[in-house]
Amino acid sequence: APVRAIDLINGAVDCHGGEPRRAWYEALLEAGTRAKVAGAEDESLERELDTLRHFLSREGVSARREYGSDEGRTCVEVLEEFKACARNLSLDRAVACAPRLRPRLFSAASAPDLASGRVELCVAIHTWVTPFGRKRTGLCSRYISHATIGSKVLCWRECGDLVLPEMNSASSPPPPPVVLVGPGTGVAPFRAMVQSRLARAASPSSDMVASAPGGSSRCVVFLGNRHVTNDFLYGDEWIALARSGRADVHACFSRSPCAPGEASAFLGGSIARRCNTALRDQGALVWDALSTHLGSCFVCGSARTGMTRDVGEALVRVAMEHGGMSDEQARKWLRTLELARRFVVEAY
């Protein structure tokens, strides 16, 4: 079936967010060269051709990288800055050279057990400043933040790596405990997990004890945020869960001392500023959940900060300090958990 050019550009190629590759500059150079051969006389065309030839030369590799990827320039921005060449760039050539629109994946932050037909997301607007001081915003997070109520958004469902242990039937023992480590928006899938776990625990056919402070069904949650006041994601919900005893919640704030007032007591009263530090502080609890009760540990968050590596190292130290293992033994233990899908990391 015929496809409109605008639909093809908006739905298949990433002109507004993707990084232009070498082929994009080659296509512009070819288009500008054709215009010059055809007799076009334009000083700006000559300047653009000289710049593009330099970008595509061996000596210009670093200049092209600094201009493009380091500055986060998009294909559309490059077209705007090489207008004389861009006027002669054909649509089919542009589509062939443009980066493909990649899917943006977000973890569901709500359990289907509680919200049939609805999915909640926890999305941070990704912003950064380039080396030359240009402010940039992530393509998908900007799109979602600007969407109005009632907007239709193309989406689909994929199965991730974070899967809760088998829930029990009425005749089986309670499920093993889970240790959940979710700094920042990495908390999203764990909110869904805890909701699902508690919803099933409350069903009449379940023998699972929802509020078992020292039992095998416990949820031990480590949250990482910067400030208590403005980015403690779902803070009221976590405080309520901790207060009721339905989950062990340990919140860490990298730029605030701890949770304010009464809430601090229900959140472990932690003064740790990072999740990996809190894991070691609560080493006895973590070791009991993972070793004594054969629980699982799930980690979700940004891979750019080294968080996943730090959490792994913290678990190694927990095994050494509370399991009496050597460094080598602790690392083998963690690897065993990983192979058994009892230590799972989902990083982005």
PDB file of all heavy atoms in Angstrom, residues 290-324:
ATOM      1  N   LEU A 290      18.738 -14.223  50.584  1.00  0.00           N
ATOM      2  CA  LEU A 290      19.290 -14.887  49.411  1.00  0.00           C
ATOM      3  C   LEU A 290      19.855 -16.271  49.712  1.00  0.00           C
ATOM      4  O   LEU A 290      19.783 -17.168  48.864  1.00  0.00           O
ATOM      5  CB  LEU A 290      20.392 -14.019  48.788  1.00  0.00           C
ATOM      6  CG  LEU A 290      19.960 -12.649  48.250  1.00  0.00           C
ATOM      7  CD1 LEU A 290      21.159 -11.927  47.646  1.00  0.00           C
ATOM      8  CD2 LEU A 290      18.847 -12.789  47.222  1.00  0.00           C
ATOM      9  N   SER A 291      20.407 -16.456  50.893  1.00  0.00           N
ATOM     10  CA  SER A 291      21.061 -17.727  51.206  1.00  0.00           C
ATOM     11  C   SER A 291      20.173 -18.657  52.029  1.00  0.00           C
ATOM     12  O   SER A 291      19.869 -19.773  51.623  1.00  0.00           O
ATOM     13  CB  SER A 291      22.375 -17.465  51.948  1.00  0.00           C
ATOM     14  OG  SER A 291      23.032 -18.676  52.252  1.00  0.00           O
ATOM     15  N   THR A 292      19.714 -18.175  53.182  1.00  0.00           N
ATOM     16  CA  THR A 292      18.910 -19.020  54.068  1.00  0.00           C
ATOM     17  C   THR A 292      17.581 -19.409  53.424  1.00  0.00           C
ATOM     18  O   THR A 292      17.163 -20.567  53.465  1.00  0.00           O
ATOM     19  CB  THR A 292      18.643 -18.301  55.394  1.00  0.00           C
ATOM     20  OG1 THR A 292      19.891 -17.893  55.967  1.00  0.00           O
ATOM     21  CG2 THR A 292      17.906 -19.209  56.365  1.00  0.00           C
ATOM     22  N   HIS A 293      16.914 -18.419  52.798  1.00  0.00           N
ATOM     23  CA  HIS A 293      15.594 -18.669  52.226  1.00  0.00           C
ATOM     24  C   HIS A 293      15.612 -18.798  50.705  1.00  0.00           C
ATOM     25  O   HIS A 293      14.547 -18.825  50.077  1.00  0.00           O
ATOM     26  CB  HIS A 293      14.628 -17.563  52.640  1.00  0.00           C
ATOM     27  CG  HIS A 293      14.316 -17.568  54.103  1.00  0.00           C
ATOM     28  ND1 HIS A 293      14.878 -16.676  54.993  1.00  0.00           N
ATOM     29  CD2 HIS A 293      13.523 -18.384  54.848  1.00  0.00           C
ATOM     30  CE1 HIS A 293      14.426 -16.927  56.216  1.00  0.00           C
ATOM     31  NE2 HIS A 293      13.608 -17.952  56.156  1.00  0.00           N
ATOM     32  N   LEU A 294      16.814 -18.872  50.107  1.00  0.00           N
ATOM     33  CA  LEU A 294      16.967 -19.126  48.668  1.00  0.00           C
ATOM     34  C   LEU A 294      16.179 -18.135  47.817  1.00  0.00           C
ATOM     35  O   LEU A 294      15.488 -18.501  46.854  1.00  0.00           O
ATOM     36  CB  LEU A 294      16.530 -20.556  48.334  1.00  0.00           C
ATOM     37  CG  LEU A 294      17.254 -21.679  49.094  1.00  0.00           C
ATOM     38  CD1 LEU A 294      16.712 -23.038  48.679  1.00  0.00           C
ATOM     39  CD2 LEU A 294      18.752 -21.605  48.851  1.00  0.00           C
ATOM     40  N   GLY A 295      16.287 -16.847  48.192  1.00  0.00           N
ATOM     41  CA  GLY A 295      15.573 -15.805  47.465  1.00  0.00           C
ATOM     42  C   GLY A 295      16.291 -15.391  46.190  1.00  0.00           C
ATOM     43  O   GLY A 295      17.328 -15.941  45.809  1.00  0.00           O
ATOM     44  N   SER A 296      15.725 -14.391  45.526  1.00  0.00           N
ATOM     45  CA  SER A 296      16.273 -13.864  44.286  1.00  0.00           C
ATOM     46  C   SER A 296      16.539 -12.373  44.435  1.00  0.00           C
ATOM     47  O   SER A 296      15.875 -11.694  45.221  1.00  0.00           O
ATOM     48  CB  SER A 296      15.301 -14.089  43.125  1.00  0.00           C
ATOM     49  OG  SER A 296      15.038 -15.468  42.931  1.00  0.00           O
ATOM     50  N   CYS A 297      17.511 -11.882  43.670  1.00  0.00           N
ATOM     51  CA  CYS A 297      17.850 -10.460  43.679  1.00  0.00           C
ATOM     52  C   CYS A 297      17.686  -9.913  42.270  1.00  0.00           C
ATOM     53  O   CYS A 297      18.244 -10.449  41.311  1.00  0.00           O
ATOM     54  CB  CYS A 297      19.288 -10.246  44.166  1.00  0.00           C
ATOM     55  SG  CYS A 297      19.803  -8.505  44.168  1.00  0.00           S
ATOM     56  N   PHE A 298      16.903  -8.850  42.143  1.00  0.00           N
ATOM     57  CA  PHE A 298      16.682  -8.199  40.858  1.00  0.00           C
ATOM     58  C   PHE A 298      17.190  -6.768  40.934  1.00  0.00           C
ATOM     59  O   PHE A 298      16.966  -6.075  41.924  1.00  0.00           O
ATOM     60  CB  PHE A 298      15.201  -8.209  40.499  1.00  0.00           C
ATOM     61  CG  PHE A 298      14.610  -9.595  40.379  1.00  0.00           C
ATOM     62  CD1 PHE A 298      13.797 -10.095  41.382  1.00  0.00           C
ATOM     63  CD2 PHE A 298      14.870 -10.382  39.278  1.00  0.00           C
ATOM     64  CE1 PHE A 298      13.250 -11.363  41.287  1.00  0.00           C
ATOM     65  CE2 PHE A 298      14.326 -11.659  39.169  1.00  0.00           C
ATOM     66  CZ  PHE A 298      13.514 -12.148  40.168  1.00  0.00           C
ATOM     67  N   VAL A 299      17.863  -6.336  39.863  1.00  0.00           N
ATOM     68  CA  VAL A 299      18.448  -4.994  39.812  1.00  0.00           C
ATOM     69  C   VAL A 299      17.991  -4.325  38.525  1.00  0.00           C
ATOM     70  O   VAL A 299      18.031  -4.935  37.449  1.00  0.00           O
ATOM     71  CB  VAL A 299      19.992  -5.047  39.846  1.00  0.00           C
ATOM     72  CG1 VAL A 299      20.575  -3.639  39.883  1.00  0.00           C
ATOM     73  CG2 VAL A 299      20.476  -5.863  41.035  1.00  0.00           C
ATOM     74  N   CYS A 300      17.562  -3.079  38.618  1.00  0.00           N
ATOM     75  CA  CYS A 300      17.162  -2.336  37.425  1.00  0.00           C
ATOM     76  C   CYS A 300      17.600  -0.886  37.578  1.00  0.00           C
ATOM     77  O   CYS A 300      17.402  -0.275  38.631  1.00  0.00           O
ATOM     78  CB  CYS A 300      15.644  -2.424  37.225  1.00  0.00           C
ATOM     79  SG  CYS A 300      15.066  -1.613  35.717  1.00  0.00           S
ATOM     80  N   GLY A 301      18.183  -0.335  36.519  1.00  0.00           N
ATOM     81  CA  GLY A 301      18.624   1.058  36.571  1.00  0.00           C
ATOM     82  C   GLY A 301      19.594   1.367  35.455  1.00  0.00           C
ATOM     83  O   GLY A 301      19.835   0.559  34.553  1.00  0.00           O
ATOM     84  N   SER A 302      20.169   2.528  35.518  1.00  0.00           N
ATOM     85  CA  SER A 302      21.072   3.002  34.477  1.00  0.00           C
ATOM     86  C   SER A 302      22.416   2.278  34.526  1.00  0.00           C
ATOM     87  O   SER A 302      22.989   2.090  35.603  1.00  0.00           O
ATOM     88  CB  SER A 302      21.301   4.509  34.630  1.00  0.00           C
ATOM     89  OG  SER A 302      22.289   4.959  33.730  1.00  0.00           O
ATOM     90  N   ALA A 303      22.901   1.885  33.350  1.00  0.00           N
ATOM     91  CA  ALA A 303      24.209   1.240  33.268  1.00  0.00           C
ATOM     92  C   ALA A 303      25.323   2.267  33.165  1.00  0.00           C
ATOM     93  O   ALA A 303      26.498   1.939  33.351  1.00  0.00           O
ATOM     94  CB  ALA A 303      24.250   0.307  32.057  1.00  0.00           C
ATOM     95  N   ARG A 304      24.968   3.521  32.888  1.00  0.00           N
ATOM     96  CA  ARG A 304      25.988   4.546  32.652  1.00  0.00           C
ATOM     97  C   ARG A 304      26.708   4.971  33.924  1.00  0.00           C
ATOM     98  O   ARG A 304      27.818   5.492  33.873  1.00  0.00           O
ATOM     99  CB  ARG A 304      25.345   5.771  31.994  1.00  0.00           C
ATOM    100  CG  ARG A 304      24.787   5.529  30.611  1.00  0.00           C
ATOM    101  CD  ARG A 304      24.377   6.832  29.954  1.00  0.00           C
ATOM    102  NE  ARG A 304      23.299   7.480  30.668  1.00  0.00           N
ATOM    103  CZ  ARG A 304      22.012   7.278  30.407  1.00  0.00           C
ATOM    104  NH1 ARG A 304      21.656   6.424  29.461  1.00  0.00           N
ATOM    105  NH2 ARG A 304      21.074   7.916  31.086  1.00  0.00           N
ATOM    106  N   THR A 305      26.074   4.784  35.071  1.00  0.00           N
ATOM    107  CA  THR A 305      26.657   5.272  36.321  1.00  0.00           C
ATOM    108  C   THR A 305      27.543   4.239  37.014  1.00  0.00           C
ATOM    109  O   THR A 305      28.140   4.541  38.045  1.00  0.00           O
ATOM    110  CB  THR A 305      25.537   5.675  37.288  1.00  0.00           C
ATOM    111  OG1 THR A 305      24.729   4.514  37.576  1.00  0.00           O
ATOM    112  CG2 THR A 305      24.653   6.754  36.683  1.00  0.00           C
ATOM    113  N   GLY A 306      27.604   3.033  36.485  1.00  0.00           N
ATOM    114  CA  GLY A 306      28.367   1.981  37.153  1.00  0.00           C
ATOM    115  C   GLY A 306      27.601   1.345  38.297  1.00  0.00           C
ATOM    116  O   GLY A 306      28.161   0.571  39.080  1.00  0.00           O
ATOM    117  N   MET A 307      26.300   1.643  38.389  1.00  0.00           N
ATOM    118  CA  MET A 307      25.484   1.143  39.488  1.00  0.00           C
ATOM    119  C   MET A 307      25.445  -0.380  39.518  1.00  0.00           C
ATOM    120  O   MET A 307      25.573  -1.003  40.579  1.00  0.00           O
ATOM    121  CB  MET A 307      24.067   1.711  39.376  1.00  0.00           C
ATOM    122  CG  MET A 307      23.097   1.249  40.447  1.00  0.00           C
ATOM    123  SD  MET A 307      22.241  -0.321  40.072  1.00  0.00           S
ATOM    124  CE  MET A 307      21.408   0.072  38.539  1.00  0.00           C
ATOM    125  N   THR A 308      25.248  -1.001  38.358  1.00  0.00           N
ATOM    126  CA  THR A 308      25.107  -2.456  38.320  1.00  0.00           C
ATOM    127  C   THR A 308      26.384  -3.146  38.797  1.00  0.00           C
ATOM    128  O   THR A 308      26.328  -4.149  39.517  1.00  0.00           O
ATOM    129  CB  THR A 308      24.761  -2.921  36.897  1.00  0.00           C
ATOM    130  OG1 THR A 308      25.745  -2.426  35.971  1.00  0.00           O
ATOM    131  CG2 THR A 308      23.398  -2.385  36.481  1.00  0.00           C
ATOM    132  N   ARG A 309      27.524  -2.585  38.425  1.00  0.00           N
ATOM    133  CA  ARG A 309      28.808  -3.140  38.883  1.00  0.00           C
ATOM    134  C   ARG A 309      28.935  -2.987  40.392  1.00  0.00           C
ATOM    135  O   ARG A 309      29.344  -3.926  41.092  1.00  0.00           O
ATOM    136  CB  ARG A 309      29.959  -2.421  38.184  1.00  0.00           C
ATOM    137  CG  ARG A 309      31.349  -2.904  38.614  1.00  0.00           C
ATOM    138  CD  ARG A 309      32.431  -1.936  38.190  1.00  0.00           C
ATOM    139  NE  ARG A 309      32.295  -0.653  38.868  1.00  0.00           N
ATOM    140  CZ  ARG A 309      32.072   0.496  38.231  1.00  0.00           C
ATOM    141  NH1 ARG A 309      31.941   0.512  36.924  1.00  0.00           N
ATOM    142  NH2 ARG A 309      31.964   1.629  38.913  1.00  0.00           N
ATOM    143  N   ASP A 310      28.555  -1.816  40.903  1.00  0.00           N
ATOM    144  CA  ASP A 310      28.672  -1.554  42.339  1.00  0.00           C
ATOM    145  C   ASP A 310      27.755  -2.467  43.156  1.00  0.00           C
ATOM    146  O   ASP A 310      28.133  -2.920  44.244  1.00  0.00           O
ATOM    147  CB  ASP A 310      28.332  -0.089  42.631  1.00  0.00           C
ATOM    148  CG  ASP A 310      29.347   0.872  42.035  1.00  0.00           C
ATOM    149  OD1 ASP A 310      30.474   0.414  41.718  1.00  0.00           O
ATOM    150  OD2 ASP A 310      29.024   2.063  41.882  1.00  0.00           O
ATOM    151  N   VAL A 311      26.557  -2.746  42.649  1.00  0.00           N
ATOM    152  CA  VAL A 311      25.640  -3.637  43.352  1.00  0.00           C
ATOM    153  C   VAL A 311      26.208  -5.047  43.403  1.00  0.00           C
ATOM    154  O   VAL A 311      26.158  -5.728  44.436  1.00  0.00           O
ATOM    155  CB  VAL A 311      24.249  -3.637  42.685  1.00  0.00           C
ATOM    156  CG1 VAL A 311      23.385  -4.782  43.221  1.00  0.00           C
ATOM    157  CG2 VAL A 311      23.551  -2.303  42.920  1.00  0.00           C
ATOM    158  N   GLY A 312      26.784  -5.496  42.278  1.00  0.00           N
ATOM    159  CA  GLY A 312      27.407  -6.818  42.260  1.00  0.00           C
ATOM    160  C   GLY A 312      28.536  -6.918  43.273  1.00  0.00           C
ATOM    161  O   GLY A 312      28.651  -7.922  43.991  1.00  0.00           O
ATOM    162  N   GLU A 313      29.363  -5.880  43.342  1.00  0.00           N
ATOM    163  CA  GLU A 313      30.458  -5.875  44.306  1.00  0.00           C
ATOM    164  C   GLU A 313      29.931  -5.864  45.738  1.00  0.00           C
ATOM    165  O   GLU A 313      30.507  -6.502  46.625  1.00  0.00           O
ATOM    166  CB  GLU A 313      31.351  -4.656  44.063  1.00  0.00           C
ATOM    167  CG  GLU A 313      32.214  -4.750  42.815  1.00  0.00           C
ATOM    168  CD  GLU A 313      33.187  -5.918  42.885  1.00  0.00           C
ATOM    169  OE1 GLU A 313      33.794  -6.134  43.954  1.00  0.00           O
ATOM    170  OE2 GLU A 313      33.327  -6.630  41.875  1.00  0.00           O
ATOM    171  N   ALA A 314      28.841  -5.141  45.977  1.00  0.00           N
ATOM    172  CA  ALA A 314      28.257  -5.100  47.322  1.00  0.00           C
ATOM    173  C   ALA A 314      27.762  -6.488  47.736  1.00  0.00           C
ATOM    174  O   ALA A 314      27.941  -6.903  48.889  1.00  0.00           O
ATOM    175  CB  ALA A 314      27.105  -4.095  47.354  1.00  0.00           C
ATOM    176  N   LEU A 315      27.172  -7.226  46.811  1.00  0.00           N
ATOM    177  CA  LEU A 315      26.693  -8.575  47.127  1.00  0.00           C
ATOM    178  C   LEU A 315      27.860  -9.525  47.405  1.00  0.00           C
ATOM    179  O   LEU A 315      27.760 -10.415  48.249  1.00  0.00           O
ATOM    180  CB  LEU A 315      25.833  -9.108  45.975  1.00  0.00           C
ATOM    181  CG  LEU A 315      24.470  -8.424  45.800  1.00  0.00           C
ATOM    182  CD1 LEU A 315      23.759  -8.954  44.565  1.00  0.00           C
ATOM    183  CD2 LEU A 315      23.601  -8.630  47.041  1.00  0.00           C
ATOM    184  N   VAL A 316      28.955  -9.321  46.685  1.00  0.00           N
ATOM    185  CA  VAL A 316      30.151 -10.123  46.960  1.00  0.00           C
ATOM    186  C   VAL A 316      30.627  -9.862  48.387  1.00  0.00           C
ATOM    187  O   VAL A 316      30.959 -10.794  49.141  1.00  0.00           O
ATOM    188  CB  VAL A 316      31.265  -9.790  45.946  1.00  0.00           C
ATOM    189  CG1 VAL A 316      32.608 -10.381  46.396  1.00  0.00           C
ATOM    190  CG2 VAL A 316      30.906 -10.337  44.568  1.00  0.00           C
ATOM    191  N   ARG A 317      30.634  -8.594  48.789  1.00  0.00           N
ATOM    192  CA  ARG A 317      31.070  -8.251  50.148  1.00  0.00           C
ATOM    193  C   ARG A 317      30.096  -8.811  51.198  1.00  0.00           C
ATOM    194  O   ARG A 317      30.513  -9.242  52.277  1.00  0.00           O
ATOM    195  CB  ARG A 317      31.172  -6.725  50.287  1.00  0.00           C
ATOM    196  CG  ARG A 317      32.267  -6.129  49.424  1.00  0.00           C
ATOM    197  CD  ARG A 317      33.656  -6.535  49.910  1.00  0.00           C
ATOM    198  NE  ARG A 317      34.694  -6.174  48.962  1.00  0.00           N
ATOM    199  CZ  ARG A 317      35.282  -7.009  48.118  1.00  0.00           C
ATOM    200  NH1 ARG A 317      34.926  -8.282  48.113  1.00  0.00           N
ATOM    201  NH2 ARG A 317      36.223  -6.608  47.306  1.00  0.00           N
ATOM    202  N   VAL A 318      28.804  -8.815  50.886  1.00  0.00           N
ATOM    203  CA  VAL A 318      27.810  -9.383  51.808  1.00  0.00           C
ATOM    204  C   VAL A 318      28.093 -10.868  52.020  1.00  0.00           C
ATOM    205  O   VAL A 318      28.056 -11.371  53.149  1.00  0.00           O
ATOM    206  CB  VAL A 318      26.381  -9.181  51.250  1.00  0.00           C
ATOM    207  CG1 VAL A 318      25.375 -10.050  52.006  1.00  0.00           C
ATOM    208  CG2 VAL A 318      25.983  -7.711  51.353  1.00  0.00           C
ATOM    209  N   ALA A 319      28.389 -11.580  50.934  1.00  0.00           N
ATOM    210  CA  ALA A 319      28.684 -13.012  51.043  1.00  0.00           C
ATOM    211  C   ALA A 319      29.955 -13.254  51.847  1.00  0.00           C
ATOM    212  O   ALA A 319      30.049 -14.227  52.613  1.00  0.00           O
ATOM    213  CB  ALA A 319      28.823 -13.618  49.648  1.00  0.00           C
ATOM    214  N   MET A 320      30.941 -12.376  51.713  1.00  0.00           N
ATOM    215  CA  MET A 320      32.184 -12.532  52.461  1.00  0.00           C
ATOM    216  C   MET A 320      31.972 -12.237  53.944  1.00  0.00           C
ATOM    217  O   MET A 320      32.460 -12.968  54.814  1.00  0.00           O
ATOM    218  CB  MET A 320      33.252 -11.602  51.874  1.00  0.00           C
ATOM    219  CG  MET A 320      33.694 -11.977  50.460  1.00  0.00           C
ATOM    220  SD  MET A 320      34.796 -10.735  49.713  1.00  0.00           S
ATOM    221  CE  MET A 320      36.210 -10.822  50.812  1.00  0.00           C
ATOM    222  N   GLU A 321      31.234 -11.163  54.235  1.00  0.00           N
ATOM    223  CA  GLU A 321      31.076 -10.721  55.625  1.00  0.00           C
ATOM    224  C   GLU A 321      30.069 -11.564  56.403  1.00  0.00           C
ATOM    225  O   GLU A 321      30.229 -11.776  57.611  1.00  0.00           O
ATOM    226  CB  GLU A 321      30.644  -9.254  55.636  1.00  0.00           C
ATOM    227  CG  GLU A 321      31.721  -8.309  55.108  1.00  0.00           C
ATOM    228  CD  GLU A 321      31.198  -6.906  54.847  1.00  0.00           C
ATOM    229  OE1 GLU A 321      30.042  -6.619  55.273  1.00  0.00           O
ATOM    230  OE2 GLU A 321      31.910  -6.097  54.217  1.00  0.00           O
ATOM    231  N   HIS A 322      29.033 -12.050  55.736  1.00  0.00           N
ATOM    232  CA  HIS A 322      27.971 -12.758  56.457  1.00  0.00           C
ATOM    233  C   HIS A 322      27.899 -14.239  56.101  1.00  0.00           C
ATOM    234  O   HIS A 322      27.227 -14.997  56.799  1.00  0.00           O
ATOM    235  CB  HIS A 322      26.617 -12.097  56.177  1.00  0.00           C
ATOM    236  CG  HIS A 322      26.544 -10.680  56.635  1.00  0.00           C
ATOM    237  ND1 HIS A 322      26.217 -10.336  57.922  1.00  0.00           N
ATOM    238  CD2 HIS A 322      26.793  -9.515  55.970  1.00  0.00           C
ATOM    239  CE1 HIS A 322      26.249  -9.005  58.038  1.00  0.00           C
ATOM    240  NE2 HIS A 322      26.591  -8.487  56.866  1.00  0.00           N
ATOM    241  N   GLY A 323      28.590 -14.628  55.037  1.00  0.00           N
ATOM    242  CA  GLY A 323      28.599 -16.037  54.664  1.00  0.00           C
ATOM    243  C   GLY A 323      29.942 -16.703  54.903  1.00  0.00           C
ATOM    244  O   GLY A 323      30.099 -17.900  54.627  1.00  0.00           O
ATOM    245  N   GLY A 324      30.925 -15.916  55.387  1.00  0.00           N
ATOM    246  CA  GLY A 324      32.242 -16.466  55.680  1.00  0.00           C
ATOM    247  C   GLY A 324      32.987 -16.941  54.448  1.00  0.00           C
ATOM    248  O   GLY A 324      33.838 -17.827  54.545  1.00  0.00           O
TER     249      GLY A 324
END
